[in-house]
Amino acid sequence: MDTDTAPTTASGTQTLMRGLQLIECVAEGIGDVRGIAQRLGTPRSTTHRMLGSLVQAGWLHHIPYRGYLLGPKLLWLGQQASEQRPLAALAHPHLALLAQQTGDTVHLGTVEADEVLYLDKVSGTKGLEMRSRIGQRMPLASTGVGKALMLGMDEDRWKPLHKQAQQARAPGKPALRPWRQWLAEMRRYREQGVVMDLEENEYGIRCVGAPVRDISGEVVAAISVASALPYMPDERMARMAPVVRTRAQALSRELGWSGA
């Protein structure tokens, strides 16, 4: 009986994975049948049938002359996922308060598969729109949130993550600081309990970040304040450091941390 059902199970799994990959394509902005078929390596006729099924089930929208967009079921699932992550729910009031205090954009992130995953974002009041978005992944070693997360790691993990961030540099992106300089800065940040992103991830953008700890004292998340260079000169970053650290500690206490 197992032998008889194995091909059906394998086929069903393949169909499911293709459907999920198709949804990911649409989420990335590939909204036409031809583009999706090329990405998935499937015939256009097969791709069109899959798209039709997903539209009918509510997972996708189809807008004539524009293409396919994420549908209402995914919006609902995204909301449910957000509500079921207590960290994001507990953190949001702290992020909102920090954004109000500073006027800058505030992020919350956590480690996922050796990258920083952005869980929340609260825009500031200066009219600047950061390219970051909830659900985005970025290299740990080149972002303010990421480096704050790395403060909770053993130092022997730092060098591979630094190398990984270097290799992930896209054309037009800033070069990462050389390893020895980066290491010296991280050691200093660890003593201070706060990190700086000095245009290491994006030209013209600076960040101040701090780790968030849980009841065990482990770093489980990080927050950062980000703004454009004219609003983030060195002296303001120095003033911002205790503000961000204090807010991260307040969130940590809500998670059960009792440190100083």
Side-chain angles (χ1 to χ4, degrees), residues 88-109:
L90 286 172
H92 189 80
H94 294 274
L95 271 61
L97 178 59
L98 194 54
Q100 184 180 22
Q101 287 177 326
T102 64
D104 300 310
T105 299
V106 182
H107 297 99
L108 172 74

Side-chain angles (χ1 to χ4, degrees), residues 7-22 40 46 50 53-54:
T8 301
T9 302
S11 176
T13 301
Q14 184 180 37
T15 301
L16 172 62
M17 294 308 299
R18 279 186 176 174
L20 293 173
Q21 290 168 353
L22 190 154
L40 297 182
T46 300
M50 292 171 64
S53 296
L54 289 168

Side-chain angles (χ1 to χ4, degrees), residues 18 22 33-34 36-38 40-51:
R18 279 186 176 174
L22 190 154
V33 176
R34 180 179 179 182
I36 294 170
Q38 288 178 341
L40 297 182
T42 52
R44 291 181 65 175
S45 59
T46 300
T47 305
H48 192 270
R49 285 197 300 273
M50 292 171 64
L51 285 165

Side-chain angles (χ1 to χ4, degrees), residues 143-164:
T143 60
V145 171
K147 289 197 291 184
L149 289 164
M150 291 176 70
L151 295 184
M153 299 178 181
D154 292 335
E155 195 171 300
D156 59 6
R157 290 191 62 191
W158 288 359
K159 191 168 186 177
L161 292 170
H162 179 270
K163 183 177 180 180
Q164 181 178 318

Side-chain angles (χ1 to χ4, degrees), residues 2 4-5 14 19 49 88 90 99 137 167 172 194 198 212 214 219 227 236 244 246 256 258 260:
D2 289 344
D4 293 340
T5 59
Q14 184 180 37
R49 285 197 300 273
L90 286 172
R137 287 177 169 84
Q167 294 173 340
V194 67
L198 302 170
V212 174
D214 65 6
V219 174
S227 195
R236 183 167 185 256
V244 178
T246 297
S258 58

Side-chain angles (χ1 to χ4, degrees), residues 94-107 121-130 206 224-228 231-232 236 240 243-244:
H94 294 274
L95 271 61
L97 178 59
L98 194 54
Q100 184 180 22
Q101 287 177 326
T102 64
D104 300 310
T105 299
V106 182
H107 297 99
K121 172 184 177 181
V122 178
S123 297
T125 58
K126 293 185 171 73
L128 300 171
E129 183 56 40
M130 301 286 129
R206 286 182 161 191
S224 74
V225 171
S227 195
Y231 298 106
M232 277 287 197
R236 183 167 185 256
M240 193 73 65
V243 176
V244 178

Side-chain angles (χ1 to χ4, degrees), residues 4-242:
D4 293 340
T5 59
T8 301
T9 302
S11 176
T13 301
Q14 184 180 37
T15 301
L16 172 62
M17 294 308 299
R18 279 186 176 174
L20 293 173
Q21 290 168 353
L22 190 154
I23 290 172
E24 289 178 353
C25 286
V26 175
E28 292 171 8
I30 305 172
D32 61 291
V33 176
R34 180 179 179 182
I36 294 170
Q38 288 178 341
R39 171 68 72 87
L40 297 182
T42 52
R44 291 181 65 175
S45 59
T46 300
T47 305
H48 192 270
R49 285 197 300 273
M50 292 171 64
L51 285 165
S53 296
L54 289 168
V55 168
Q56 187 175 5
W59 298 107
L60 297 177
H61 275 309
H62 179 250
I63 300 178
Y65 307 109
R66 182 174 176 183
Y68 293 88
L69 304 172
L70 299 181
K73 279 194 176 179
L74 287 168
L75 295 174
W76 179 81
L77 279 179
Q79 182 65 32
Q80 292 298 110
S82 178
E83 291 177 358
Q84 289 177 21
R85 297 191 80 138
L87 172 61
L90 286 172
H92 189 80
H94 294 274
L95 271 61
L97 178 59
L98 194 54
Q100 184 180 22
Q101 287 177 326
T102 64
D104 300 310
T105 299
V106 182
H107 297 99
L108 172 74
T110 190
V111 176
E112 187 155 310
D114 286 341
E115 294 179 308
V116 54
L117 170 66
Y118 289 95
L119 298 179
D120 201 357
K121 172 184 177 181
V122 178
S123 297
T125 58
K126 293 185 171 73
L128 300 171
E129 183 56 40
M130 301 286 129
R131 295 182 182 179
S132 55
R133 65 183 185 278
I134 297 172
Q136 184 178 14
R137 287 177 169 84
M138 297 290 289
L140 284 160
S142 62
T143 60
V145 171
K147 289 197 291 184
L149 289 164
M150 291 176 70
L151 295 184
M153 299 178 181
D154 292 335
E155 195 171 300
D156 59 6
R157 290 191 62 191
W158 288 359
K159 191 168 186 177
L161 292 170
H162 179 270
K163 183 177 180 180
Q164 181 178 318
Q166 280 184 316
Q167 294 173 340
R169 296 287 83 187
K173 283 281 190 178
L176 215 60
R177 281 174 167 71
W179 164 244
R180 291 189 181 277
Q181 181 183 355
W182 186 93
L183 176 61
E185 290 177 347
M186 284 293 289
R187 285 172 172 169
R188 186 172 69 253
Y189 294 153
R190 175 170 270 170
E191 293 177 358
Q192 298 170 347
V194 67
V195 305
M196 308 289 180
D197 170 5
L198 302 170
E199 301 180 77
E200 295 160 69
N201 187 57
E202 188 174 347
Y203 286 116
I205 301 297
R206 286 182 161 191
C207 304
V208 180
V212 174
R213 300 178 184 273
D214 65 6
I215 192 169
S216 70
E218 295 294 318
V219 174
V220 293
I223 61 176
S224 74
V225 171
S227 195
L229 179 58
Y231 298 106
M232 277 287 197
D234 292 345
E235 58 270 20
R236 183 167 185 256
M237 294 188 81
R239 295 197 308 271
M240 193 73 65

